[in-house]
Amino acid sequence: MVNAARNESDVIFILLGFSDYPELQIPLFLLFLVIYMITVAGNLGMIVIIRINPKLHTPMYLFLSNLSFLDFCYSTVITPKLLQILVVEDRSMSFAPCITQYSFTVICVVTEAFLLAVMAYDRFVAICNPLLYIVVMSQKRCALLLTSVYTWGIISSSLFIYSLLILSFSGTNIINNFLCEYSAILSASISDTHVTEMIFFILANFDTFFTLIVVLTSYLSIFITVLKMHSASGRYKAFSTCASHLTAVTIFFGIILFLYCVPSSKSSWLLVRINTIFYTVVIPMLNPLIYSLRNKDVKETLKKVIEVPARWPSG
């Protein structure tokens, strides 16, 4: 730990981003700027809509507003730095900001994964045990679930960061990506990384597969329950309440699992960067669009908000 502290000031990370495609720097900057603006407006707008409509003060929308908050934070941690390295020549990042960015990224990713699992559990209770829904998903239970989700996100991040800070670092290091990520920081170490890699392996797999098991178990139970329904309209209504969440879950976990499977080779770096763009930049933009376009209550509230200025008297 002493060595790590002594060497931190000398450690520099160079974020390559998309520098190997110089002709695309400005178009990519404009594209990601538009995506970021939509992300901020979409997620903050979703939070405001849920807060101003008493009809949306239910567990499902409480979790959705927290998902929007996480997506806003997640995008804000990543995208501004991405925009910066697309337009400036100096792509360097010192040790402390790099570790800080990685820390907040882990908090957002882990918390969102567990929140999506909680949302799947919420849909399971609503469809499989509708008569007990108000009791099971009480305000106290929802608050406890949210507190647990955020707490575990912070604990996971702290353990990941601790596993890196026990190492010694030195010199200038190249990151063939646009953000500080685990493998790049680890490669800068001049220490034995066995313990750190073991901590990462255990935590990453626990977080990923535990949340996946909760999601898959919840939706398997939902699917079985819906198939037993005699009413076609009942089955359609049940599936429609899950459609938005299932779409968000499929995209989120699909991309993360795909990144797990990408081999570490030079030919795969572009693919890794593209997929990283999807789960760090694009998904935070897509989530509010997915939920607003497929949700009748949200669309009605949004329509009312848009119509209000039109009713104001001119002059």
Side-chain angles (χ1 to χ4, degrees):
M1 193 71 174
V2 175
N3 288 338
R6 188 182 65 212
N7 293 331
E8 280 179 11
S9 60
D10 301 325
V11 180
I12 297 294
F13 293 97
I14 307 296
L15 304 175
L16 294 184
F18 294 91
S19 58
D20 44 346
Y21 300 93
E23 70 282 1
L24 296 178
Q25 299 294 293
I26 299 303
L28 287 175
F29 173 84
L30 296 174
L31 173 63
F32 295 141
L33 177 61
V34 171
I35 290 176
Y36 182 60
M37 293 171 64
I38 295 173
T39 300
V40 172
N43 286 291
L44 294 183
M46 181 68 75
I47 294 172
V48 171
I49 287 172
I50 291 172
R51 287 184 63 88
I52 65 175
N53 188 349
K55 189 178 179 180
L56 302 180
H57 294 175
T58 63
M60 181 177 75
Y61 292 106
L62 172 64
F63 297 139
L64 178 55
S65 64
N66 278 270
L67 180 66
S68 293
F69 171 72
L70 284 171
D71 283 334
F72 166 74
C73 294
Y74 194 18
S75 181
T76 301
V77 168
I78 302 296
T79 310
K81 186 62 180 180
L82 168 60
L83 294 173
Q84 179 188 344
I85 66 175
L86 283 170
V87 293
V88 299
E89 292 185 6
D90 184 9
R91 297 184 173 88
S92 62
M93 199 172 187
S94 59
F95 184 83
C98 188
I99 285 290
T100 301
Q101 185 193 57
Y102 176 71
S103 176
F104 281 106
T105 301
V106 172
I107 290 175
C108 292
V109 172
V110 173
T111 304
E112 181 159 333
F114 276 82
L115 182 59
L116 288 171
V118 168
M119 293 172 75
Y121 173 73
D122 172 71
R123 291 300 83 204
F124 158 74
V125 177
I127 294 173
C128 300
N129 298 286
L131 299 178
L132 297 175
Y133 181 73
I134 296 178
V135 177
V136 175
M137 301 304 294
S138 62
Q139 288 186 348
K140 185 177 180 180
R141 176 68 61 84
C142 291
L144 179 61
L145 287 171
L146 285 174
T147 301
S148 302
V149 162
Y150 282 100
T151 301
W152 180 247
I154 294 171
I155 291 174
S156 284
S157 175
S158 300
L159 292 172
F160 280 125
I161 297 304
Y162 173 76
S163 71
L164 291 173
L165 292 180
I166 61 176
L167 303 175
S168 296
F169 297 87
S170 180
T172 300
N173 307 274
I174 302 297
I175 296 180
N176 200 359
N177 212 323
F178 58 88
L179 78 166
C180 287
E181 44 90 16
Y182 172 82
S183 60
I185 299 174
L186 191 67
S187 66
S189 172
I190 55 176
S191 307
D192 182 3
T193 60
H194 177 73
V195 174
T196 298
E197 290 175 338
M198 184 62 66
I199 293 174
F200 178 85
F201 177 81
I202 294 172
L203 276 176
N205 281 282
F206 171 78
D207 291 340
T208 302
F209 292 107
F210 178 82
T211 51
L212 267 178
I213 288 171
V214 173
V215 170
L216 292 175
T217 303
S218 297
Y219 274 104
L220 179 60
S221 300
I222 290 171
F223 184 72
I224 293 172
T225 300
V226 171
L227 287 181
K228 292 179 180 178
M229 294 180 179
H230 300 294
S231 169
S233 60
R235 288 195 295 268
Y236 174 78
K237 184 178 180 180
F239 277 128
S240 64
T241 62
C242 301
S244 298
H245 179 258
L246 192 56
T247 302
V249 165
T250 301
I251 295 173
F252 181 84
F253 285 103
I255 291 176
I256 288 181
L257 289 175
F258 182 80
L259 283 172
Y260 266 98
C261 300
V262 175
S264 298
S265 64
K266 290 184 178 180
S267 61
S268 69
W269 278 116
L270 177 59
L271 190 60
V272 169
R273 279 178 284 175
I274 291 173
N275 280 278
T276 306
I277 282 287
F278 267 95
Y279 87 83
T280 59
V281 178
V282 178
I283 286 180
M285 177 191 70
L286 289 180
N287 280 341
L289 296 177
I290 291 170
Y291 280 96
S292 61
L293 292 176
R294 299 190 62 91
N295 192 290
K296 182 180 178 181
D297 293 331
V298 173
K299 285 192 290 186
E300 287 179 354
T301 306
L302 181 60
K303 184 178 179 181
K304 290 178 181 178
V305 171
I306 295 173
E307 288 176 349
V308 168
R311 295 175 184 172
W312 290 349
S314 59

